[in-house]
Amino acid sequence: MKQASDTTRALPVPTRETAPYWRMANEGRLVVQRCGSCGRRQFYPRAFCTACLSDSVEWVDCSGRGTIYTYTICHIAGHPSMADKVPYAVAMIDLDEGVRMLAGIVDSDLAQVAIGAPVEVTFERISAEYALPQFKIATGTSS
């Protein structure tokens, strides 16, 4: 991650494998990779399938829905740019598509953050080039 100052959010530094992910996130799309050989989905982005080692991986859109697998409530900012956000939640999200990803929980009452809670993706704009996939507690829907 690159950063401009202590109070500016750290920005992703895309690699060959992650650049498409960040481009699509900037468009408001949550994507994961799917293997063209065995069909397995995976996250985080890689140059090959971790199940069968095929290099035939493609990007597929996700529903943006899932559940909280585990979480932590941060009372001390992990970076100076997060100081005004404490306390905040960071969670491992089990997406409906069968992959797990780490993300922040935003725009939600921290009292509702719980293992098994349904969540839906939202995108936090951190620069003109980058939007971070984050999640909020889903209301009125089930995962």
Side-chain angles (χ1 to χ4, degrees):
M1 298 280 211
K2 60 184 171 181
Q3 60 195 56
S5 73
D6 282 350
T7 58
T8 302
R9 287 292 294 267
L11 299 177
V13 179
T15 64
R16 184 177 51 143
E17 288 80 18
T18 66
Y21 172 81
W22 291 114
R23 181 177 41 78
M24 288 181 259
N26 195 45
E27 297 169 0
R29 294 170 54 198
L30 182 64
V31 295
V32 297
Q33 290 177 314
R34 179 177 58 204
C35 179
S37 296
C38 74
R40 183 170 184 264
R41 293 177 190 213
Q42 65 185 20
F43 186 84
Y44 62 89
R46 298 169 178 95
F48 59 89
C49 173
T50 59
C52 73
L53 302 180
S54 169
D55 63 357
S56 177
V57 291
E58 60 189 355
W59 294 98
V60 294
D61 287 301
C62 290
S63 67
R65 292 184 302 273
T67 57
I68 295 175
Y69 172 76
T70 192
Y71 69 95
T72 189
I73 305 293
C74 301
H75 293 275
I76 298 172
H79 185 273
S81 67
M82 299 296 289
D84 64 341
K85 299 183 184 306
V86 293
Y88 60 89
V90 177
M92 292 296 294
I93 306 298
D94 281 340
L95 294 177
D96 287 354
E97 289 77 15
V99 299
R100 186 173 287 159
M101 68 185 308
L102 181 68
I105 303 294
V106 297
D107 303 329
S108 301
D109 180 354
L110 291 181
Q112 293 182 307
V113 176
I115 293 171
V119 292
E120 58 192 12
V121 74
T122 186
F123 292 87
E124 178 185 354
R125 172 79 37 208
I126 60 170
S127 76
E129 298 84 21
Y130 296 106
L132 292 179
Q134 306 279 21
F135 288 83
K136 61 183 178 180
I137 301 295
T139 55
T141 61
S142 61
S143 184

